[in-house]
Amino acid sequence: MDSERQSDPTRFGTEAFYASIGRAFVAMCAFVPVLFLIEYLDILSGHRLDQEGGIRPHHLDGLDGIVFSPFLHVSFDHVLANSVPLILLGTFVLAAGASRFWLTTVFIAIVAGVGVWFTGDGNSVVVGASGVIFGYLGVILMRGVVERSWWHIAVGLLIGLLYGWQLVGVLPGDPDISWQGHLFGFIGGLVAAILFRRRRPKPVEHVDTLALGPDLS
């Protein structure tokens, strides 16, 4: 039993847990330079990538932005602003398992993108990973509740203290910021935490058997 617990990457304090956190952190750090490279190519193209790959609300030719917009940004400053929360939040989401991470990320991106397409300003082009970042925040906050994990609850509280102020981003405010993407991304994260929660193994029912002696009748 002890060996099984030590090999569980979701159990706080085990070697497997720390190893999964480390691998996830390295993976997220390795992904961020890709975003900077894409932004560099976008600048070389005169921001053509943003115009053609961003979400254009209410326009059919802008639907493909649901797939591409999370990889695109307005500027290097935009990428830099998203990098730290993306690494931090993404690390904790990825540490719970690669398959759940990909399913969660795709689900959040679709919910955020569709929400922006239906409710965003039709004269705008929306790009950025903010929707996915808010989705990761929703995942971490909800995961501690649905999986009854004090570790995830503690992480959710920590993230709330560090980035809770960003939750105001789900409300209308700066016209240059897509609050719709933040809101629907956060909602997508909450739902994803429920849909892709860790399934607890069902307890094995033990059937007691009664050893019968010789028939004395």
Side-chain angles (χ1 to χ4, degrees), residues 155-196:
V155 171
L157 292 175
L158 175 61
I159 298 300
L161 290 174
L162 294 175
Y163 292 100
W165 59 272
Q166 289 193 3
L167 289 177
V168 298
V170 304
L171 301 175
D174 190 332
D176 293 329
I177 297 178
S178 175
W179 63 269
Q180 296 95 334
H182 297 172
L183 174 61
F184 285 100
F186 185 71
I187 293 173
L190 296 177
V191 176
I194 298 173
L195 293 178
F196 308 121

mmCIF file of all heavy atoms in Angstrom, residues 155-196:
data_model
loop_
_atom_site.group_PDB
_atom_site.id
_atom_site.type_symbol
_atom_site.label_atom_id
_atom_site.label_comp_id
_atom_site.label_asym_id
_atom_site.label_seq_id
_atom_site.Cartn_x
_atom_site.Cartn_y
_atom_site.Cartn_z
ATOM 1 N N VAL A 155 -3.974 25.058 -3.237
ATOM 2 C CA VAL A 155 -3.448 25.712 -4.436
ATOM 3 C C VAL A 155 -4.436 26.757 -4.941
ATOM 4 O O VAL A 155 -4.058 27.864 -5.322
ATOM 5 C CB VAL A 155 -3.156 24.672 -5.539
ATOM 6 C CG1 VAL A 155 -2.828 25.375 -6.858
ATOM 7 C CG2 VAL A 155 -2.004 23.774 -5.131
ATOM 8 N N GLY A 156 -5.734 26.400 -4.920
ATOM 9 C CA GLY A 156 -6.750 27.347 -5.356
ATOM 10 C C GLY A 156 -6.758 28.606 -4.519
ATOM 11 O O GLY A 156 -6.888 29.718 -5.038
ATOM 12 N N LEU A 157 -6.599 28.448 -3.202
ATOM 13 C CA LEU A 157 -6.550 29.615 -2.321
ATOM 14 C C LEU A 157 -5.305 30.454 -2.595
ATOM 15 O O LEU A 157 -5.357 31.690 -2.601
ATOM 16 C CB LEU A 157 -6.565 29.160 -0.859
ATOM 17 C CG LEU A 157 -7.873 28.528 -0.372
ATOM 18 C CD1 LEU A 157 -7.710 28.018 1.054
ATOM 19 C CD2 LEU A 157 -9.012 29.533 -0.452
ATOM 20 N N LEU A 158 -4.172 29.765 -2.828
ATOM 21 C CA LEU A 158 -2.937 30.487 -3.127
ATOM 22 C C LEU A 158 -3.064 31.270 -4.424
ATOM 23 O O LEU A 158 -2.702 32.457 -4.490
ATOM 24 C CB LEU A 158 -1.771 29.505 -3.224
ATOM 25 C CG LEU A 158 -0.416 30.104 -3.654
ATOM 26 C CD1 LEU A 158 0.037 31.146 -2.645
ATOM 27 C CD2 LEU A 158 0.627 29.002 -3.812
ATOM 28 N N ILE A 159 -3.592 30.602 -5.442
ATOM 29 C CA ILE A 159 -3.781 31.278 -6.727
ATOM 30 C C ILE A 159 -4.762 32.434 -6.568
ATOM 31 O O ILE A 159 -4.593 33.506 -7.166
ATOM 32 C CB ILE A 159 -4.298 30.293 -7.788
ATOM 33 C CG1 ILE A 159 -3.277 29.173 -8.022
ATOM 34 C CG2 ILE A 159 -4.586 31.014 -9.097
ATOM 35 C CD1 ILE A 159 -1.930 29.644 -8.492
ATOM 36 N N GLY A 160 -5.791 32.216 -5.730
ATOM 37 C CA GLY A 160 -6.757 33.281 -5.501
ATOM 38 C C GLY A 160 -6.112 34.506 -4.874
ATOM 39 O O GLY A 160 -6.435 35.641 -5.230
ATOM 40 N N LEU A 161 -5.178 34.269 -3.939
ATOM 41 C CA LEU A 161 -4.488 35.387 -3.301
ATOM 42 C C LEU A 161 -3.574 36.122 -4.282
ATOM 43 O O LEU A 161 -3.458 37.346 -4.247
ATOM 44 C CB LEU A 161 -3.666 34.881 -2.114
ATOM 45 C CG LEU A 161 -4.466 34.392 -0.896
ATOM 46 C CD1 LEU A 161 -3.538 33.787 0.148
ATOM 47 C CD2 LEU A 161 -5.265 35.537 -0.292
ATOM 48 N N LEU A 162 -2.934 35.332 -5.169
ATOM 49 C CA LEU A 162 -1.988 35.929 -6.101
ATOM 50 C C LEU A 162 -2.669 36.598 -7.289
ATOM 51 O O LEU A 162 -2.253 37.670 -7.741
ATOM 52 C CB LEU A 162 -1.014 34.861 -6.605
ATOM 53 C CG LEU A 162 -0.055 34.263 -5.554
ATOM 54 C CD1 LEU A 162 0.770 33.144 -6.176
ATOM 55 C CD2 LEU A 162 0.859 35.345 -4.988
ATOM 56 N N TYR A 163 -3.719 35.942 -7.795
ATOM 57 C CA TYR A 163 -4.326 36.422 -9.043
ATOM 58 C C TYR A 163 -5.831 36.653 -8.932
ATOM 59 O O TYR A 163 -6.485 36.890 -9.938
ATOM 60 C CB TYR A 163 -4.065 35.412 -10.168
ATOM 61 C CG TYR A 163 -2.613 35.336 -10.562
ATOM 62 C CD1 TYR A 163 -1.802 34.306 -10.082
ATOM 63 C CD2 TYR A 163 -2.041 36.293 -11.385
ATOM 64 C CE1 TYR A 163 -0.458 34.232 -10.423
ATOM 65 C CE2 TYR A 163 -0.708 36.233 -11.725
ATOM 66 C CZ TYR A 163 0.078 35.207 -11.247
ATOM 67 O OH TYR A 163 1.407 35.142 -11.583
ATOM 68 N N GLY A 164 -6.355 36.560 -7.704
ATOM 69 C CA GLY A 164 -7.790 36.740 -7.542
ATOM 70 C C GLY A 164 -8.287 38.074 -8.064
ATOM 71 O O GLY A 164 -9.411 38.189 -8.551
ATOM 72 N N TRP A 165 -7.423 39.100 -7.971
ATOM 73 C CA TRP A 165 -7.820 40.424 -8.449
ATOM 74 C C TRP A 165 -8.113 40.416 -9.943
ATOM 75 O O TRP A 165 -8.852 41.259 -10.447
ATOM 76 C CB TRP A 165 -6.716 41.434 -8.150
ATOM 77 C CG TRP A 165 -5.402 41.085 -8.776
ATOM 78 C CD1 TRP A 165 -4.422 40.301 -8.240
ATOM 79 C CD2 TRP A 165 -4.923 41.498 -10.063
ATOM 80 N NE1 TRP A 165 -3.363 40.180 -9.108
ATOM 81 C CE2 TRP A 165 -3.637 40.917 -10.229
ATOM 82 C CE3 TRP A 165 -5.443 42.297 -11.073
ATOM 83 C CZ2 TRP A 165 -2.876 41.110 -11.387
ATOM 84 C CZ3 TRP A 165 -4.686 42.487 -12.222
ATOM 85 C CH2 TRP A 165 -3.418 41.902 -12.370
ATOM 86 N N GLN A 166 -7.535 39.412 -10.640
ATOM 87 C CA GLN A 166 -7.767 39.359 -12.082
ATOM 88 C C GLN A 166 -9.187 38.904 -12.423
ATOM 89 O O GLN A 166 -9.611 39.006 -13.573
ATOM 90 C CB GLN A 166 -6.754 38.419 -12.745
ATOM 91 C CG GLN A 166 -5.344 38.968 -12.778
ATOM 92 C CD GLN A 166 -4.454 38.176 -13.707
ATOM 93 O OE1 GLN A 166 -4.881 37.247 -14.382
ATOM 94 N NE2 GLN A 166 -3.188 38.547 -13.756
ATOM 95 N N LEU A 167 -9.902 38.371 -11.418
ATOM 96 C CA LEU A 167 -11.267 37.934 -11.681
ATOM 97 C C LEU A 167 -12.161 39.078 -12.137
ATOM 98 O O LEU A 167 -13.207 38.849 -12.735
ATOM 99 C CB LEU A 167 -11.850 37.275 -10.425
ATOM 100 C CG LEU A 167 -11.263 35.907 -10.057
ATOM 101 C CD1 LEU A 167 -11.873 35.405 -8.760
ATOM 102 C CD2 LEU A 167 -11.487 34.906 -11.173
ATOM 103 N N VAL A 168 -11.740 40.316 -11.836
ATOM 104 C CA VAL A 168 -12.521 41.454 -12.330
ATOM 105 C C VAL A 168 -12.493 41.494 -13.852
ATOM 106 O O VAL A 168 -13.316 42.170 -14.479
ATOM 107 C CB VAL A 168 -12.000 42.790 -11.758
ATOM 108 C CG1 VAL A 168 -12.126 42.801 -10.245
ATOM 109 C CG2 VAL A 168 -10.548 43.037 -12.162
ATOM 110 N N GLY A 169 -11.555 40.741 -14.443
ATOM 111 C CA GLY A 169 -11.458 40.697 -15.896
ATOM 112 C C GLY A 169 -12.611 39.979 -16.560
ATOM 113 O O GLY A 169 -12.747 40.013 -17.780
ATOM 114 N N VAL A 170 -13.466 39.311 -15.758
ATOM 115 C CA VAL A 170 -14.634 38.646 -16.342
ATOM 116 C C VAL A 170 -15.795 39.616 -16.474
ATOM 117 O O VAL A 170 -16.861 39.240 -16.984
ATOM 118 C CB VAL A 170 -15.064 37.416 -15.505
ATOM 119 C CG1 VAL A 170 -13.913 36.448 -15.341
ATOM 120 C CG2 VAL A 170 -15.584 37.859 -14.136
ATOM 121 N N LEU A 171 -15.600 40.848 -16.025
ATOM 122 C CA LEU A 171 -16.655 41.855 -16.104
ATOM 123 C C LEU A 171 -16.307 42.896 -17.162
ATOM 124 O O LEU A 171 -15.128 43.151 -17.432
ATOM 125 C CB LEU A 171 -16.820 42.545 -14.742
ATOM 126 C CG LEU A 171 -17.180 41.627 -13.564
ATOM 127 C CD1 LEU A 171 -17.194 42.427 -12.268
ATOM 128 C CD2 LEU A 171 -18.528 40.962 -13.792
ATOM 129 N N PRO A 172 -17.331 43.505 -17.775
ATOM 130 C CA PRO A 172 -17.067 44.543 -18.780
ATOM 131 C C PRO A 172 -16.245 45.674 -18.190
ATOM 132 O O PRO A 172 -16.464 46.088 -17.057
ATOM 133 C CB PRO A 172 -18.478 45.012 -19.167
ATOM 134 C CG PRO A 172 -19.369 43.871 -18.812
ATOM 135 C CD PRO A 172 -18.762 43.237 -17.596
ATOM 136 N N GLY A 173 -15.286 46.149 -18.967
ATOM 137 C CA GLY A 173 -14.439 47.227 -18.487
ATOM 138 C C GLY A 173 -13.705 47.873 -19.634
ATOM 139 O O GLY A 173 -14.295 48.581 -20.446
ATOM 140 N N ASP A 174 -12.399 47.594 -19.732
ATOM 141 C CA ASP A 174 -11.570 48.149 -20.800
ATOM 142 C C ASP A 174 -12.063 47.636 -22.151
ATOM 143 O O ASP A 174 -12.118 46.420 -22.375
ATOM 144 C CB ASP A 174 -10.118 47.724 -20.573
ATOM 145 C CG ASP A 174 -9.151 48.462 -21.492
ATOM 146 O OD1 ASP A 174 -9.567 48.865 -22.598
ATOM 147 O OD2 ASP A 174 -7.980 48.627 -21.105
ATOM 148 N N PRO A 175 -12.427 48.535 -23.076
ATOM 149 C CA PRO A 175 -12.936 48.098 -24.379
ATOM 150 C C PRO A 175 -11.899 47.351 -25.208
ATOM 151 O O PRO A 175 -12.256 46.658 -26.165
ATOM 152 C CB PRO A 175 -13.353 49.407 -25.057
ATOM 153 C CG PRO A 175 -12.545 50.466 -24.371
ATOM 154 C CD PRO A 175 -12.406 50.004 -22.950
ATOM 155 N N ASP A 176 -10.615 47.485 -24.852
ATOM 156 C CA ASP A 176 -9.566 46.794 -25.590
ATOM 157 C C ASP A 176 -9.294 45.400 -25.049
ATOM 158 O O ASP A 176 -8.432 44.685 -25.570
ATOM 159 C CB ASP A 176 -8.263 47.608 -25.541
ATOM 160 C CG ASP A 176 -8.389 48.936 -26.299
ATOM 161 O OD1 ASP A 176 -9.153 48.963 -27.282
ATOM 162 O OD2 ASP A 176 -7.748 49.921 -25.887
ATOM 163 N N ILE A 177 -9.991 45.010 -23.994
ATOM 164 C CA ILE A 177 -9.805 43.686 -23.388
ATOM 165 C C ILE A 177 -11.082 42.881 -23.544
ATOM 166 O O ILE A 177 -12.179 43.366 -23.237
ATOM 167 C CB ILE A 177 -9.443 43.807 -21.893
ATOM 168 C CG1 ILE A 177 -8.106 44.527 -21.729
ATOM 169 C CG2 ILE A 177 -9.374 42.427 -21.242
ATOM 170 C CD1 ILE A 177 -7.700 44.739 -20.287
ATOM 171 N N SER A 178 -10.947 41.655 -24.011
ATOM 172 C CA SER A 178 -12.110 40.801 -24.229
ATOM 173 C C SER A 178 -12.532 40.150 -22.910
ATOM 174 O O SER A 178 -12.083 39.055 -22.566
ATOM 175 C CB SER A 178 -11.793 39.719 -25.271
ATOM 176 O OG SER A 178 -12.882 38.819 -25.405
ATOM 177 N N TRP A 179 -13.415 40.831 -22.194
ATOM 178 C CA TRP A 179 -13.902 40.256 -20.937
ATOM 179 C C TRP A 179 -14.718 38.993 -21.210
ATOM 180 O O TRP A 179 -14.800 38.093 -20.364
ATOM 181 C CB TRP A 179 -14.740 41.283 -20.175
ATOM 182 C CG TRP A 179 -15.989 41.728 -20.893
ATOM 183 C CD1 TRP A 179 -16.126 42.785 -21.737
ATOM 184 C CD2 TRP A 179 -17.277 41.107 -20.826
ATOM 185 N NE1 TRP A 179 -17.419 42.868 -22.205
ATOM 186 C CE2 TRP A 179 -18.145 41.861 -21.657
ATOM 187 C CE3 TRP A 179 -17.785 40.003 -20.139
ATOM 188 C CZ2 TRP A 179 -19.487 41.525 -21.829
ATOM 189 C CZ3 TRP A 179 -19.123 39.660 -20.311
ATOM 190 C CH2 TRP A 179 -19.964 40.424 -21.143
ATOM 191 N N GLN A 180 -15.308 38.914 -22.420
ATOM 192 C CA GLN A 180 -16.079 37.716 -22.763
ATOM 193 C C GLN A 180 -15.187 36.475 -22.781
ATOM 194 O O GLN A 180 -15.584 35.401 -22.306
ATOM 195 C CB GLN A 180 -16.754 37.883 -24.126
ATOM 196 C CG GLN A 180 -17.789 38.995 -24.197
ATOM 197 C CD GLN A 180 -17.200 40.289 -24.736
ATOM 198 O OE1 GLN A 180 -15.998 40.547 -24.615
ATOM 199 N NE2 GLN A 180 -18.034 41.111 -25.357
ATOM 200 N N GLY A 181 -13.967 36.634 -23.330
ATOM 201 C CA GLY A 181 -13.049 35.511 -23.359
ATOM 202 C C GLY A 181 -12.658 35.078 -21.962
ATOM 203 O O GLY A 181 -12.554 33.872 -21.671
ATOM 204 N N HIS A 182 -12.454 36.039 -21.078
ATOM 205 C CA HIS A 182 -12.108 35.735 -19.691
ATOM 206 C C HIS A 182 -13.261 35.015 -18.997
ATOM 207 O O HIS A 182 -13.059 34.010 -18.306
ATOM 208 C CB HIS A 182 -11.786 37.015 -18.934
ATOM 209 C CG HIS A 182 -10.585 37.736 -19.468
ATOM 210 N ND1 HIS A 182 -10.219 38.998 -19.034
ATOM 211 C CD2 HIS A 182 -9.668 37.385 -20.399
ATOM 212 C CE1 HIS A 182 -9.124 39.382 -19.670
ATOM 213 N NE2 HIS A 182 -8.782 38.426 -20.515
ATOM 214 N N LEU A 183 -14.466 35.547 -19.177
ATOM 215 C CA LEU A 183 -15.639 34.982 -18.504
ATOM 216 C C LEU A 183 -15.918 33.562 -18.979
ATOM 217 O O LEU A 183 -16.061 32.640 -18.161
ATOM 218 C CB LEU A 183 -16.858 35.868 -18.745
ATOM 219 C CG LEU A 183 -18.192 35.331 -18.207
ATOM 220 C CD1 LEU A 183 -18.133 35.153 -16.705
ATOM 221 C CD2 LEU A 183 -19.342 36.265 -18.599
ATOM 222 N N PHE A 184 -15.979 33.369 -20.308
ATOM 223 C CA PHE A 184 -16.312 32.049 -20.820
ATOM 224 C C PHE A 184 -15.162 31.061 -20.611
ATOM 225 O O PHE A 184 -15.399 29.858 -20.443
ATOM 226 C CB PHE A 184 -16.703 32.133 -22.296
ATOM 227 C CG PHE A 184 -18.074 32.697 -22.523
ATOM 228 C CD1 PHE A 184 -18.253 34.015 -22.895
ATOM 229 C CD2 PHE A 184 -19.194 31.914 -22.340
ATOM 230 C CE1 PHE A 184 -19.516 34.552 -23.084
ATOM 231 C CE2 PHE A 184 -20.468 32.428 -22.525
ATOM 232 C CZ PHE A 184 -20.634 33.753 -22.895
ATOM 233 N N GLY A 185 -13.939 31.568 -20.602
ATOM 234 C CA GLY A 185 -12.816 30.696 -20.290
ATOM 235 C C GLY A 185 -12.906 30.200 -18.861
ATOM 236 O O GLY A 185 -12.687 29.013 -18.583
ATOM 237 N N PHE A 186 -13.227 31.095 -17.933
ATOM 238 C CA PHE A 186 -13.366 30.725 -16.525
ATOM 239 C C PHE A 186 -14.494 29.717 -16.341
ATOM 240 O O PHE A 186 -14.335 28.714 -15.630
ATOM 241 C CB PHE A 186 -13.629 31.979 -15.688
ATOM 242 C CG PHE A 186 -13.660 31.736 -14.212
ATOM 243 C CD1 PHE A 186 -12.499 31.439 -13.509
ATOM 244 C CD2 PHE A 186 -14.854 31.820 -13.510
ATOM 245 C CE1 PHE A 186 -12.528 31.218 -12.144
ATOM 246 C CE2 PHE A 186 -14.896 31.605 -12.143
ATOM 247 C CZ PHE A 186 -13.731 31.305 -11.452
ATOM 248 N N ILE A 187 -15.623 29.965 -17.004
ATOM 249 C CA ILE A 187 -16.747 29.023 -16.931
ATOM 250 C C ILE A 187 -16.346 27.674 -17.508
ATOM 251 O O ILE A 187 -16.663 26.613 -16.945
ATOM 252 C CB ILE A 187 -17.971 29.586 -17.676
ATOM 253 C CG1 ILE A 187 -18.516 30.824 -16.948
ATOM 254 C CG2 ILE A 187 -19.063 28.527 -17.811
ATOM 255 C CD1 ILE A 187 -19.616 31.546 -17.700
ATOM 256 N N GLY A 188 -15.631 27.707 -18.644
ATOM 257 C CA GLY A 188 -15.170 26.461 -19.248
ATOM 258 C C GLY A 188 -14.262 25.683 -18.312
ATOM 259 O O GLY A 188 -14.334 24.450 -18.249
ATOM 260 N N GLY A 189 -13.420 26.395 -17.557
ATOM 261 C CA GLY A 189 -12.543 25.734 -16.607
ATOM 262 C C GLY A 189 -13.306 25.078 -15.476
ATOM 263 O O GLY A 189 -12.986 23.960 -15.056
ATOM 264 N N LEU A 190 -14.331 25.759 -14.965
ATOM 265 C CA LEU A 190 -15.150 25.186 -13.899
ATOM 266 C C LEU A 190 -15.827 23.897 -14.361
ATOM 267 O O LEU A 190 -15.847 22.892 -13.648
ATOM 268 C CB LEU A 190 -16.214 26.194 -13.450
ATOM 269 C CG LEU A 190 -15.723 27.496 -12.804
ATOM 270 C CD1 LEU A 190 -16.913 28.403 -12.494
ATOM 271 C CD2 LEU A 190 -14.931 27.214 -11.536
ATOM 272 N N VAL A 191 -16.372 23.934 -15.578
ATOM 273 C CA VAL A 191 -17.059 22.755 -16.115
ATOM 274 C C VAL A 191 -16.060 21.637 -16.411
ATOM 275 O O VAL A 191 -16.326 20.455 -16.144
ATOM 276 C CB VAL A 191 -17.851 23.129 -17.384
ATOM 277 C CG1 VAL A 191 -18.486 21.887 -18.006
ATOM 278 C CG2 VAL A 191 -18.921 24.164 -17.061
ATOM 279 N N ALA A 192 -14.897 22.004 -16.955
ATOM 280 C CA ALA A 192 -13.879 21.004 -17.292
ATOM 281 C C ALA A 192 -13.415 20.260 -16.046
ATOM 282 O O ALA A 192 -13.141 19.048 -16.095
ATOM 283 C CB ALA A 192 -12.694 21.671 -17.980
ATOM 284 N N ALA A 193 -13.303 20.960 -14.928
ATOM 285 C CA ALA A 193 -12.877 20.316 -13.684
ATOM 286 C C ALA A 193 -13.862 19.238 -13.259
ATOM 287 O O ALA A 193 -13.475 18.242 -12.639
ATOM 288 C CB ALA A 193 -12.729 21.356 -12.584
ATOM 289 N N ILE A 194 -15.122 19.438 -13.601
ATOM 290 C CA ILE A 194 -16.150 18.444 -13.263
ATOM 291 C C ILE A 194 -16.140 17.300 -14.274
ATOM 292 O O ILE A 194 -16.169 16.124 -13.906
ATOM 293 C CB ILE A 194 -17.540 19.107 -13.214
ATOM 294 C CG1 ILE A 194 -17.573 20.190 -12.124
ATOM 295 C CG2 ILE A 194 -18.626 18.067 -12.973
ATOM 296 C CD1 ILE A 194 -18.839 21.020 -12.108
ATOM 297 N N LEU A 195 -16.085 17.649 -15.555
ATOM 298 C CA LEU A 195 -16.138 16.626 -16.605
ATOM 299 C C LEU A 195 -14.920 15.708 -16.580
ATOM 300 O O LEU A 195 -15.044 14.496 -16.772
ATOM 301 C CB LEU A 195 -16.237 17.295 -17.978
ATOM 302 C CG LEU A 195 -17.522 18.058 -18.296
ATOM 303 C CD1 LEU A 195 -17.426 18.692 -19.680
ATOM 304 C CD2 LEU A 195 -18.726 17.131 -18.217
ATOM 305 N N PHE A 196 -13.746 16.288 -16.339
ATOM 306 C CA PHE A 196 -12.502 15.518 -16.416
ATOM 307 C C PHE A 196 -11.892 15.306 -15.029
ATOM 308 O O PHE A 196 -10.681 15.239 -14.885
ATOM 309 C CB PHE A 196 -11.504 16.231 -17.333
ATOM 310 C CG PHE A 196 -12.077 16.579 -18.676
ATOM 311 C CD1 PHE A 196 -12.112 17.903 -19.110
ATOM 312 C CD2 PHE A 196 -12.613 15.604 -19.497
ATOM 313 C CE1 PHE A 196 -12.650 18.236 -20.338
ATOM 314 C CE2 PHE A 196 -13.155 15.929 -20.732
ATOM 315 C CZ PHE A 196 -13.177 17.248 -21.158
#
